Amino acid sequence: MKLKENWSRTDRYRPYKEWSEEHLHSLEKKINSSHWRLGYHIQPVTGLLNDPNGFSYFDGKWQLFYQAYPMGSVHGLKSWYHLSSVNLIDWKNDGLKLIPDNSFDSHGVYSGSALPIDNQLFLAYTGNVRDSNWGRHSFQLGAWMDKNGNITKIPTPLISSPPPGYTQEIRDPQLIAYDDGYLLIVGAQTEQKQGRILTYYSKDLQNWQFLGTLGFTEEEMGFMIECPNLLFVNGKALLVFCPQGLSHEIHSYSNIYPNTYVIGQTFDFEKNELSDLTHIKNIDEGFDIYATHCFSDENGRTLAISWIGLPEISYPTDEEGWAHCLSIVKELTIEKEQLYQRPVKETAQLRKGKSYHFSGLETTIDAEINQYELQLEFDYSQKGTILLFADEQQKHGLTLSFDTIHGKMSMDRSHAGKSFAENFGTVREFSIEKKPLKLQIFVDRSVVEVFVNDGQQTATARVFPTDDQTGLYIKSDREFKGKLWHLRNMNK
């Protein structure tokens, strides 16, 4: 059976039960033959994966959902797909959980969050409904999940309509326990097409008071804000969000839409605002991070996971019936007004055997399989290049260039493999501190995550190499040190 190529609106919003088993079987067969499938990153079994949702700790396990369309690598009728883990590394596929099946979410279960309350997990999400003229209607909805994974949807919306002056582009509720009640943080758009973040408060999860627009900037944040996360980290207020249509004069970015953050000294509930804010910054310096989703776990760690994919961009795996993945889990801290993102300590459980140590001015390694962790140390006043996914002639691969003298680094995927998204550039350049450079790099078949200087910055990219691109080449003008571990597959 040939995979579907032309998707009409009717196809995309056809109820799941109307799709044949033959369609899904053919999709799985095609996907399983892909040499770009990942070893230890979360990826869809079939179809499309996008925003991570409902990241939480409940019933002795980490719970995670992602927005999914299982029937193809296109944006269609969305559900929440459920995963669970005891170690943040090995994720068990628990299947589709929140499915569009009522009058408030008939055209898609959109993004949201989760919060353990008593002996259940409360899910807050956006329901998408289209009228006969295909006009959008958005509802902020709730559901309960018990310890057996059973879902009970709350029959009426938490918030049934946007406040006056706002369009139906309102979504992605984040639920926060705050004092003796709950805050709901929601992305929104004004009738003047300006992006905003709205806040609501409730003491009982049923009656919600609109507090207004969250104060964090006097500058316009584009035409829409998606995926807002308000967190309290190391005594500071951290706001992570995705502004769409943000002016490049306000903030420099190269992706179609940026994933950004600001840090405030405090959150004033009475004024509904953050105080003494840092400048807006990119949460990742690479090509493909969006919709970062965060929460604080039972030990007080702030954990984050991101969608490695971007809206409105086609990727090479689309032709194989699957699209996108999630990042490894990162722990967030704030140190001297700087956000640090580090792989959670559990990530070391992926390592297979002992590390391979090397040093010198130049090193060539045949990794055989692009599935490894690489740690590198360079002195101050050093320049060099790292070629990942290198072919034998070292003419193709993902190039990382660094210059600690001038404090510069770049990621170049112009010769990394199958090209895509070239309209948004093939190089990302960013500043780094003028000091000795430490890099921790995770390579997994068709994705790279780079952690710079102990997580002070990150740079992430999807890369689609040919079968012979399994080499690693490092060259510097002064001696460097390195370690490499091969990494195992995730246990599902």
Side-chain angles (χ1 to χ4, degrees):
M1 179 180 176
K2 186 178 179 181
L3 292 185
K4 191 168 186 59
E5 295 179 357
N6 300 311
W7 288 81
S8 67
R9 180 186 292 171
T10 300
D11 291 329
R12 291 170 187 254
Y13 287 88
R14 181 179 300 160
Y16 295 167
K17 63 184 180 181
E18 295 182 9
W19 289 92
S20 67
E21 291 185 10
E22 183 184 7
H23 172 81
L24 280 175
H25 177 73
S26 297
L27 202 56
E28 288 183 22
K29 185 177 180 181
K30 177 71 172 177
I31 289 168
N32 290 337
S33 67
S34 171
H35 68 273
W36 292 322
R37 290 290 277 178
L38 303 165
Y40 57 90
H41 282 78
I42 292 169
Q43 60 193 338
V45 177
T46 62
L48 178 137
L49 166 158
N50 62 316
D51 301 8
N53 298 306
F55 198 12
S56 53
Y57 188 82
F58 169 69
D59 191 29
K61 295 177 287 188
W62 281 275
Q63 311 287 340
L64 179 63
F65 304 80
Y66 62 78
Q67 209 176 1
Y69 180 63
M71 303 306 172
S73 55
V74 298
H75 290 273
L77 187 62
K78 299 289 181 60
S79 295
W80 276 20
Y81 192 94
H82 183 211
L83 307 107
S84 58
S85 174
V86 296
N87 63 1
L88 292 170
I89 302 301
D90 300 297
W91 291 92
K92 177 177 175 287
N93 288 315
D94 293 321
L96 293 173
K97 275 287 161 51
L98 271 179
I99 297 174
D101 60 4
N102 66 34
S103 59
F104 298 115
D105 61 19
S106 59
H107 289 74
V109 172
Y110 281 17
S111 293
S113 58
L115 185 68
I117 298 175
D118 298 327
N119 293 316
Q120 298 188 83
L121 187 65
F122 189 90
L123 310 178
Y125 68 100
T126 297
N128 185 48
V129 175
R130 298 285 188 167
D131 60 27
S132 58
N133 296 318
W134 208 246
R136 182 193 301 273
H137 299 271
S138 296
F139 302 92
Q140 310 316 309
L141 307 174
W144 293 98
M145 187 178 83
D146 65 21
K147 292 183 177 181
N148 295 318
N150 300 313
I151 298 287
T152 303
K153 291 184 178 180
I154 296 172
T156 57
L158 309 179
I159 301 169
S160 59
S161 62
Y166 285 84
T167 73
Q168 291 290 334
E169 300 289 344
I170 175 172
R171 53 183 173 269
D172 311 337
Q174 183 209 14
L175 183 64
I176 306 170
Y178 191 82
D179 287 342
D180 60 346
Y182 304 94
L183 283 172
L184 202 65
I185 314 296
V186 190
Q189 179 190 73
T190 70
E191 291 178 346
Q192 290 73 40
K193 302 297 189 289
Q194 297 169 337
R196 296 286 190 271
I197 297 174
L198 308 181
T199 56
Y200 294 80
Y201 180 76
S202 175
K203 288 191 174 182
D204 58 8
L205 296 172
Q206 299 178 26
N207 302 290
W208 290 90
Q209 174 191 359
F210 178 51
L211 300 181
T213 301
L214 178 65
F216 70 96
T217 181
E218 294 182 357
E219 297 180 304
E220 292 302 331
M221 290 288 105
F223 61 80
M224 176 67 192
I225 292 179
E226 293 191 318
C227 308
N229 289 249
L230 177 61
L231 305 124
F232 303 99
V233 184
N234 303 121
K236 309 290 185 182
L238 172 66
L239 181 66
V240 179
F241 59 104
C242 296
Q244 296 187 326
L246 179 65
S247 169
H248 291 269
E249 295 180 359
I250 294 174
H251 175 63
S252 177
Y253 63 97
S254 297
N255 297 342
I256 181 171
Y257 304 126
N259 198 160
T260 59
Y261 74 92
V262 294
I263 299 170
Q265 293 298 313
T266 60
F267 166 64
D268 188 320
F269 176 80
E270 297 299 326
K271 294 182 179 180
N272 192 26
E273 67 180 22
L274 305 179
S275 65
D276 301 319
L277 288 161
T278 62
H279 292 295
I280 183 172
K281 295 181 180 180
N282 293 320
I283 203 164
D284 188 88
E285 305 291 354
F287 293 91
D288 298 288
I289 285 292
Y290 195 76
T292 296
H293 183 51
C294 321
F295 87 107
S296 295
D297 74 2
E298 83 291 358
N299 294 317
R301 293 189 299 178
T302 300
L303 303 181
I305 192 166
S306 304
W307 176 29
I308 304 182
L310 287 173
E312 302 170 36
I313 299 292
S314 296
Y315 284 76
T317 58
D318 292 356
E319 299 175 4
E320 299 179 335
W322 70 283
H324 313 311
C325 63
L326 299 183
S327 71
I328 59 176
V329 179
K330 297 159 280 192
E331 181 176 357
L332 307 185
T333 60
I334 295 175
E335 302 167 26
K336 297 180 180 179
E337 309 304 319
Q338 169 74 50
L339 177 66
Y340 281 76
Q341 304 174 75
R342 300 180 176 98
V344 290
K345 63 181 185 296
E346 291 90 339
T347 310
Q349 296 178 30
L350 287 168
R351 295 171 181 167
K352 294 168 60 177
K354 296 181 179 180
S355 60
Y356 168 63
H357 291 243
F358 53 91
S359 61
L361 299 174
E362 188 173 1
T363 297
T364 301
I365 300 172
D366 183 2
E368 297 183 358
I369 299 174
N370 290 315
Q371 194 167 316
Y372 55 86
E373 176 189 346
L374 177 66
Q375 292 187 12
L376 298 169
E377 294 184 19
F378 302 92
D379 290 334
Y380 177 62
S381 301
Q382 199 163 355
K383 299 179 182 180
T385 58
I386 304 158
L387 188 65
L388 307 172
F389 302 100
D391 62 3
E392 190 172 346
Q393 296 76 29
Q394 297 172 2
K395 292 183 178 180
H396 297 89
L398 177 73
T399 303
L400 303 175
S401 301
F402 63 89
D403 178 350
T404 63
I405 301 169
H406 298 96
K408 295 180 180 180
M409 190 166 182
S410 68
M411 175 182 276
D412 182 346
R413 69 178 179 191
S414 59
H415 297 94
K418 192 172 180 63
S419 60
F420 67 105
E422 292 179 297
N423 290 344
F424 298 96
T426 58
V427 179
R428 296 290 182 266
E429 298 178 337
F430 54 99
S431 298
I432 58 175
E433 278 198 38
K434 298 176 183 179
K435 67 179 186 180
L437 176 64
K438 291 174 61 178
L439 298 177
Q440 185 177 18
I441 301 171
F442 291 87
V443 174
D444 189 5
R445 308 292 180 123
S446 61
V447 64
V448 175
E449 296 188 68
V450 180
F451 294 82
V452 181
N453 288 332
D454 202 28
Q456 192 173 43
Q457 291 161 287
T458 66
T460 305
R462 290 305 302 274
V463 179
F464 299 94
T466 56
D467 289 339
D468 64 341
Q469 290 179 232
T470 59
L472 168 63
Y473 175 65
I474 307 166
K475 184 177 181 180
S476 180
D477 58 358
R478 294 175 60 186
E479 188 168 338
F480 61 86
K481 296 186 296 183
K483 291 187 289 186
L484 183 146
W485 290 265
H486 290 283
L487 302 183
R488 65 172 174 84
N489 285 342
M490 178 201 304
N491 295 319
K492 300 178 182 178

